Each structure stands twice: as C-alpha cells, then as structure tokens.
Amino acid sequence: MNKHGGYFGKEEIIDFSVNINPLGVSEKVIKKVHEVLGDIIKYPEIDGKSTRNIIAEKLDFKSEEIILGNGATELIYLFARAIKPKKVLIIQPTFNEYKRAFKLNEATVVNFINKWEDDFDIDIDSLILKIRNEKPKVLVLCNPNNPTGGQIKLNKLKIILEELNKINSYMLLDESFIDFSENKSLESLINNYNIFILRSMTKYYAIPGLRLGFGLGNKKLIDLLNAYKEPWTINSLSLSIVESLLDDYEYINKTKEWYVKEKEYLYQEIKKLDKIKIYESDTNFFICKLENSKSKELNDFLLNEKIYIRTCEDFIGLDETFFRIAVKNHYDNVKLIESLREYTTKY
Amino acid sequence: MNKHGGYFGKEEIIDFSVNINPLGVSEKVIKKVHEVLGDIIKYPEIDGKSTRNIIAEKLDFKSEEIILGNGATELIYLFARAIKPKKVLIIQPTFNEYKRAFKLNEATVVNFINKWEDDFDIDIDSLILKIRNEKPKVLVLCNPNNPTGGQIKLNKLKIILEELNKINSYMLLDESFIDFSENKSLESLINNYNIFILRSMTKYYAIPGLRLGFGLGNKKLIDLLNAYKEPWTINSLSLSIVESLLDDYEYINKTKEWYVKEKEYLYQEIKKLDKIKIYESDTNFFICKLENSKSKELNDFLLNEKIYIRTCEDFIGLDETFFRIAVKNHYDNVKLIESLREYTTKY
C-alpha cells in the first residue's frame, strides 16, 4: 500500500494531513443516517441505480452518464481495469493511487512533472511534445491537484484534450476537490472528448468513512466501465443519504463561508513566515516548502503541539522539504500558524 | 450484471429470495452503530488492520492469514485478478459471480455440474477425471452451496484438495453460508493446501447493507492478494462494529434456536406437499423443484400473496422449474407454506 494522509494514533491530535471539511458531518445528514439505519438489513441496490438517478437529476446529468463508486478510488481502479492501457502518462506530482492502479493492470507509466521551481505551472508545449512522442492511451490529471492544490485553466485543458482526441486517447480527470474550487468542472465536455471525470462526495460533506464518489463520462464509456464493475460495492447508508447531502444548502453555504475566509487567512499568515514558502491553491489545502529543514523534522516538532501534517517525500517530483496542510477551522488554523512561527524562529 | 435475489419494489413483501437472518439486526449492534456514527468523518483504516486483528483474535487465526472485503464479493473479484488463472473449473449450479469475475480476467471457464437427478450429490470420480483432463489453475466450490444448499463432506473435499495440490492449483472455497451449517469450516487446512476460504458476516448478522466479509488463506496467498487490493474499500461503520457482532452471544444463540426449529419445520411441511420436491439443505435456504409448472408462474401467484421467491432459471444446471427460498420467521414460514399448498392444489 502507498503512504497516505490521516493520523491513526490514539492521541487527540489536530489532523492537518486530511483534506476533509472541518465543519464536521452536517446535523441533517447525521439525522438522515439515523433514519435510514434500518436499510443495513437489506442488500444495497446492485449498481445503486436509484441513487444515480437522484444525482443525475440534482446535478443535471443523464443517468447513463454517471457511475457510482465506493469512494472515487474504486473508479480509478475500475477505469484502469476496463481500459487496460498499454501506456499511461501521469501529470506529477499527484495522488499515488493512479500509478498503482495502472501498474496493477500492466501498463507502462510515464510521468510528466510540473516543477516546483515553476510553482507547479504546467508547460503545455512540453506536455504536447511528450504526448506526441509517447502516445499514451490514457493521460491522468488531478484538477485541482492533490497535493499541490493548483488547477489548470480551461483553455489549457482543451489543448490537451484536443491532442488526446487526435490519437484516440482518454483523459482520466480527477476532480475530487473541485467542490472547494471557484473554477468550473469539465463536466459539460464529456460528450466532446474521451474524458472520465471523477468526483468525490466524501471531502466536501465530510463523510470519508462512508465512502461515496461518482464518475462522469459519455454513455459509451460508462457502459464499458459497467461491464467491469463489481456488484454491491456501495453500502446502503451511502446510497440512502445522497439526497439529503445534496439538498443541505445550509451546510453547503456554511462551508463556503468558512472556506473562503479561513483559506485566505491561512495563506496570508503562512506567507508572512520566514523559511516557509506557501504555494497558491485552488482548493482546501496548501502545499508548502521548507527552506532550511525537512518536513519530517517539522512534523516531529508539531506532533509535540498535537498537530499532524502530511509530509510529501513520497510524491514524484517533490522531496523531503515539502508538506501539505488542509484548511481547518479558525481555532485550529491559528494554532498551526503559531506553531509554525515558533518552528521557523528555531530552525 | 447478473440476476440476483432481493425484492426492490415499493410494496411491503415477505422476501424469501434473500438468505439473510430474519431475526433482524441485533439491538446491540444497532446501538453500537449509533455509538460509532462519528467515525464516518474519518477515513477508514486503509486495509482495516485493526479490525482484522480483532477477527483474528476472536476466531483464533493469525492476522496475516486474513484479508477483509467489502462483502465477500470483493474478495471473489480480487482473487480472480491476483491469480489470473488461464482456466477455472466451477462446480455448478452455483452463485453466478464466480464465472463473471474470472471471465473478466480472461479465464476460460469450465463447468462441472452436480445433477438434480442425483440430488446435487457430487460424483467425485468424474470430478477427479475432469480435473486431470482440464488441469484448471483454480477450482471454485461454494460450500454449503448457493443455491442448492448442500454441503460436500470433509473426506470428499480432501480428495479434491489433494488432486489440486498435485497440479499446484487453488481451491476458491466460498463458505459464506457456513455459519448456518452444522458442519465444520475447512479453515484449519489453509496451511496444508492452496485454498482461499471466503466468509461473510452479512448473512448471519443480517447486515448486507453494510458490506463485510473476510477471506482466509496461508500468508503467501494473502500477501499476494494484498498486493492487488484496493485501498479503503471497507467503510468505517463495518470496521467499527465487528467486535460487537462477534461478542453478541445472545443474538448468536437466539439465531441458532430459531434456525434449528424453523428450518426443520419448513422442510417437513413442504415435503408433505404434492408437486413440489424440496431438497435437503445444510444451510438457511432450500432449493425446490416444481413438477407441473414453472417457478415464474409460482412467483406470480405468490406475489399476489405478497411473497417473493428466487426463481432459478439463470443458474447453470438448473431450469425454470426450480426456485429457492430462505428460512424466515415462523409467521412468514407458515404463510409461505399455506400459499404453496394453495398453489399446488390449483396447478
């Protein structure tokens, strides 16, 4: 298994390593879970069709353009199995599961690295050249990207998609963090390009323990994925609470309010600190770089303050000076900033 | 997707098509689910290690001989992907997902059919011959078998296992219904043979909606499966309630009491009916054969009585005269018997 965020020790810790909405699960959703608890005595619908229809209606897609997943992760692996590409090009640094999913299906994985020296900006000309040279069957892009937080703009994405269309290749576009972004999803393009878009419901709605994600693509692609999909992967509770999640405008608005304010606060305060560079982000987490020390040392220091961060030495294109932090509630953010300030005066 | 049991209509119906403990979810477990509901805000442990350790301790295995699944179904597909056998021999009639899982991984699937004319008894000599001729890399056996309910005895199983050992092949042994059986699991043999044993926690404990199963095998096999396992497949709630399930002796005993009594009652009453043959079963469901009519016709008749059964025309080796019924609570069993009696006087 790859390394991942998340603190699993017994101590009470503020976990900045996971990118989950810190407002907690909505009370309405908790109430709904209690209401539907009886559903665990029944098998979940084999392919979650009723829930898919609800998502389709609420988010204005066609039902046959949606596939549900036991978290977005199931869909990464399903896509890799169904497409079985000989060669995959992954835009790095990014989430490590893409590489694992395709390698398990015997793909050759080629990386295209957005450099930290360029603030992780994408060099489109180089990428197009690489696509032409390598001719990958699949290009993988996480947007906004985990762990760097940046987002590639629509005009550049279209250039990449056009290039992939020329060689009849797919884009696997992971938009798991798009709900926190102010930029638009590419969902309207699923019938123009060979694109499979992943969406997560666990980050924004703070229910990673329940597992729920979905994928969007044209009918032909979704039919192909369904031919490989395993039955009953999504539990009854996840299926039963979707409508109450999507209808919970109070929570959605409260989240936006928190998010806009705290993200800006965290960014500006860390920017003031010496010896830490913070990169701009289009989503609910930031990547930072230490000038004189290693993130492992910072993590050890912070653990004494009961704070946990995600060190990033295992990401392709990053090194032991990088770490990732999620935006949390104001109290926790203040504590993190104070601790970082203390650290930078010492190291 | 294959056809499966389960009534998904809106009407209130007594669903004899699903083989789930009709006592309902234990109150202790429901209480525990309420207690651990807060866990949905955290990612589940990536491979459920803590829960695996609990199962290992309670059921007296080594932790490294266990792998958890999002239902036993995940493990069928995982095994097929990890072993990637060229040829698979499936003892039929049986659960249709085995065939699908192996075919998706490009295996040739060969069937060995236990005939209804022989009361689904296995002809061991013919099977051994078939193994010698076909040399399958995997033999799949469900024991007790879904949908026929019968169980192959230990001495015969050992003959099959010895034969598979000679050609270095595996047995995938699905014991999802063993908890209802009075016969023993083959779990003690995992270090003597290449055997992967599937167990379900959803049938006995009546939580199919939560999804939870596990597999047992020798360390080498489990390591291989883990190399292919997807992360975070089991939701936090399933992981958190396992201990309370296994400790709920009151529920376990009540289930045994219900089960022994009602199974015998249902069997004896149906045996008295003309035009329906009921087969003996080692688990919590029965397969029956209609003499003069089709199970589809019976199902239509029963739906008027608000009863749903599993017709079996889609199983290899069965036909449209077979149907499967689960043992339910006394009230429901009485109602089924009365309705069947009425049907047999009419058709």
Side-chain angles (χ1 to χ4, degrees), chain A residues 136-189:
Chain A
K137 188 69 194 171
V138 173
L139 179 142
V140 185
L141 183 60
C142 184
N143 208 45
N145 185 44
N146 176 13
T148 58
Q151 195 168 17
I152 299 173
K153 297 296 175 293
L154 186 62
N155 59 336
K156 289 188 180 173
L157 285 170
K158 278 197 174 163
I159 295 171
I160 303 171
L161 284 166
E162 289 292 344
E163 198 61 33
L164 292 170
N165 256 20
K166 284 183 200 164
I167 53 171
N168 204 18
S169 293
Y170 295 89
M171 180 184 284
L172 172 60
L173 181 67
D174 188 345
E175 292 188 341
S176 283
F177 291 99
I178 195 88
D179 290 337
F180 292 105
S181 162
E182 277 163 45
N183 294 305
K184 269 195 176 170
S185 163
L186 285 206
E187 58 197 29
S188 64
L189 299 182

Side-chain angles (χ1 to χ4, degrees), chain A residues 34 40 70 209 211 232-233, chain B residues 34 40 70 100 209 211 232-233:
Chain A
H34 281 280
I40 63 176
N70 183 31
R211 321 299 302 126
W232 309 294
T233 56
Chain B
H34 280 279
I40 63 176
N70 182 33
R100 182 169 182 266
R211 322 296 305 124
W232 308 295
T233 55

Side-chain angles (χ1 to χ4, degrees), chain B residues 105 120 181 225 231 233 285 296 317 330:
Chain B
N105 287 281
F120 304 110
S181 162
L225 296 175
T233 55
F285 53 82
K296 175 79 176 61
H330 188 66

Side-chain angles (χ1 to χ4, degrees), chain A residues 4 24 34 37 40-43 46 70 77 81 100 203 207-209 211 227 229-230 232-233 235-236, chain B residues 4 24 34 37 40-43 46 70 77 81 100 203 207-209 211 227 229-230 232-233 235-236:
Chain A
H4 286 286
H34 281 280
L37 215 50
I40 63 176
I41 203 173
K42 285 191 173 185
Y43 274 90
I46 192 163
N70 183 31
Y77 283 85
R81 279 206 301 280
R100 182 169 182 265
K203 282 109 186 159
I207 51 160
R211 321 299 302 126
K229 190 161 176 23
E230 299 174 17
W232 309 294
T233 56
N235 67 78
S236 303
Chain B
H4 286 285
H34 280 279
L37 215 51
I40 63 176
I41 201 172
K42 284 191 173 184
Y43 275 90
I46 192 163
N70 182 33
Y77 283 84
R81 280 205 301 279
R100 182 169 182 266
K203 281 108 184 160
I207 52 161
R211 322 296 305 124
K229 191 165 179 15
E230 299 175 17
W232 308 295
T233 55
N235 67 78
S236 304

Side-chain angles (χ1 to χ4, degrees), chain B residues 16 116 118-120 147-150 262-291 298 309 321-328 333 336-337 340 344:
Chain B
F16 278 88
W116 59 265
D118 305 332
D119 289 351
F120 304 110
T148 59
E262 284 305 315
K263 186 183 157 185
E264 182 63 16
Y265 171 76
L266 194 60
Y267 179 74
Q268 293 301 343
E269 291 301 309
I270 294 181
K271 219 179 155 186
K272 291 179 196 162
L273 299 177
D274 285 338
K275 303 180 199 162
I276 297 181
K277 174 176 167 71
I278 183 166
Y279 292 80
E280 284 185 34
S281 168
D282 292 301
T283 187
N284 65 324
F285 53 82
F286 291 101
I287 200 160
C288 302
K289 183 171 169 51
L290 292 165
E291 278 174 24
L298 172 62
I309 56 169
T321 62
F322 288 92
F323 63 98
R324 190 189 68 197
I325 47 170
V327 181
K328 299 234 149 232
N333 294 336
L336 174 67
I337 290 160
L340 286 177
T344 53

